[in-house]
Amino acid sequence: MWDKIRLAFFKFAAGGWIPAGWFEPDLPPEQERSAKTGHLKLEVVSHCWNYSHFLVYQLSSLVLYPPKGLDVTMTVYYSSEDAKTAELLAYFGEQNVPGVTWNWQAIPKQELFRRGIGRNRAALATTADWVWFTDCDLMFRQGCLDALAEVLQGRRDALLFPDEERTTDLLAEDNPMLKAGSAGPQVLDIDTSSFTSRTISKATGPLQIAHGDVCRAVGYCRNIGIYQQPEETFAKCHEDRAFRWLLRSQGEPIELPGVYRIRHVAKGRYSGSETRSRLRTWLRVWQSRWRDWKGSRES
């Protein structure tokens, strides 16, 4: 019960009703953040639990479209209990890609189930100029990272996000795209003909590009205990919203090509009864249709 009260409180607080400085007083002022130029360093932070058939596309996008304008550290948090993901990471760890460093971080699954834990550790430890917090169903296709290298030159923003992404409809598990991703470790390209553009209005969970100085100073919701607490099942990612609140920013939009994301009906990371799973699926479809309708009205 106490955890539910804390979650409700921080959901309310992240709406802007409580000063963010009460929980994160150390956000560096803009003038104190470095305005790096030249060949930059980017850390991409992802996580995976039972989603290796999506992660294969993310990692493949770095192999197929390696960055030239910046160096990328690809960090993936996972659990060794997820054998398919561990096998996939071992395979990609053997791929030598110019400009890309693989960084696999095995943690207990209970820590993986609260996404803010890995993100916080990565933020505090990063040596990169910028950190892109994302999900394993997102791809960095042709021109994406090199365009990002240009956009980031000399910037001090706390938080940025792509103003557009290209996504699929909600795919079922028997979709050929997902079945291909389940065929074992391989470098796998994707047919982009089924992707359509969506306008983004804020730095949502898979689209949060944060300044390195900010990450090292404040982590990722480091002072909110409930978001650093291991869970027995995968927790909803309310900390994404809290992160924006603590940074006092919904993010600044930037133009980036090549941002692709696979949307899917089934949430493999969740566990529970069949009835609960069906309810989650129905809600997910309804929410997606509502967002698509709302986006079409706003565009």
Side-chain angles (χ1 to χ4, degrees):
M1 175 61 77
W2 175 235
D3 284 351
K4 290 182 179 180
I5 293 172
R6 288 195 294 166
L7 286 170
F9 171 79
F10 284 109
K11 186 176 181 179
F12 171 80
W17 301 104
I18 293 176
W22 289 6
F23 293 93
E24 186 44 78
D26 297 329
L27 180 69
E30 183 172 347
Q31 64 272 18
E32 294 182 9
R33 304 169 201 158
S34 58
K36 292 287 187 69
T37 59
H39 198 82
L40 303 178
K41 295 181 180 179
L42 173 74
E43 182 168 3
V44 177
V45 180
S46 189
H47 68 287
C48 187
W49 171 256
N50 291 338
Y51 274 3
S52 61
H53 53 314
F54 300 99
L55 182 62
V56 64
Y57 288 111
Q58 181 173 82
L59 301 181
S60 293
S61 71
L62 292 174
V63 175
L64 295 169
Y65 307 101
K68 297 178 182 178
L70 46 67
D71 292 330
V72 174
T73 296
M74 181 70 223
T75 298
V76 179
Y77 284 88
Y78 74 104
S79 168
S80 58
E81 293 186 39
D82 180 356
K84 289 184 177 180
T85 296
E87 181 184 13
L88 182 72
L89 294 177
Y91 171 81
F92 274 93
E94 297 297 320
Q95 307 300 311
N96 185 14
V97 183
V100 176
T101 299
W102 307 119
N103 179 30
W104 313 146
Q105 296 291 322
I107 59 176
K109 66 180 181 180
Q110 291 81 5
E111 295 181 1
L112 189 68
F113 291 163
R114 173 58 76 182
R115 190 172 64 179
I117 294 176
R119 288 191 172 192
N120 184 54
R121 290 177 183 172
L124 294 173
T126 191
T127 59
D129 302 308
W130 293 85
V131 179
W132 188 331
F133 299 104
T134 192
D135 291 338
C136 64
D137 51 11
L138 187 133
M139 292 162 281
F140 313 96
R141 293 184 58 80
Q142 189 168 15
C144 175
L145 295 175
D146 288 332
L148 180 62
E150 294 181 10
V151 171
L152 294 179
Q153 295 294 313
R155 298 192 71 141
R156 290 190 171 97
D157 308 76
L159 188 63
L160 305 170
F161 67 94
D163 64 0
E164 183 182 43
E165 67 172 351
R166 292 151 186 83
T167 64
T168 63
D169 291 331
L170 289 175
L171 304 182
E173 286 295 301
D174 60 354
N175 183 276
M177 190 183 299
L178 303 191
K179 291 179 70 175
S182 301
Q186 58 186 308
V187 175
L188 189 62
D189 205 355
I190 202 164
D191 179 5
T192 60
S193 62
S194 61
F195 289 73
T196 56
S197 296
R198 289 160 52 95
T199 300
I200 308 301
S201 60
K202 59 187 175 184
T204 57
L207 302 170
Q208 295 183 328
I209 305 171
H211 196 288
D213 290 344
V214 170
C215 290
R216 285 181 285 273
V218 306
Y220 199 98
C221 305
R222 60 169 183 164
N223 293 327
I224 302 179
I226 190 68
Y227 294 152
Q228 304 303 325
Q229 177 179 297
E231 300 287 343
E232 290 302 319
T233 58
F234 211 104
K236 284 187 171 293
C237 302
H238 296 300
E239 57 265 42
D240 299 345
R241 186 170 182 237
F243 184 61
R244 296 193 298 271
W245 165 60
L246 294 172
L247 266 54
R248 288 72 146 173
S249 173
Q250 294 298 305
E252 292 296 324
I254 55 176
E255 291 187 21
L256 280 186
V259 180
Y260 284 76
R261 187 165 59 88
I262 303 170
R263 295 196 298 165
H264 40 102
V265 173
K267 279 288 191 180
R269 65 193 186 194
Y270 294 120
S271 61
S273 68
E274 183 177 353
T275 300
R276 187 179 181 185
S277 178
R278 287 177 178 175
L279 178 60
R280 285 186 183 276
T281 298
W282 181 85
L283 287 173
R284 183 164 170 77
V285 171
W286 182 86
Q287 288 171 344
S288 176
R289 288 174 178 172
W290 166 255
R291 283 193 291 264
D292 288 347
W293 177 84
K294 186 178 179 182
S296 66
R297 298 267 295 183
E298 293 174 349
S299 61

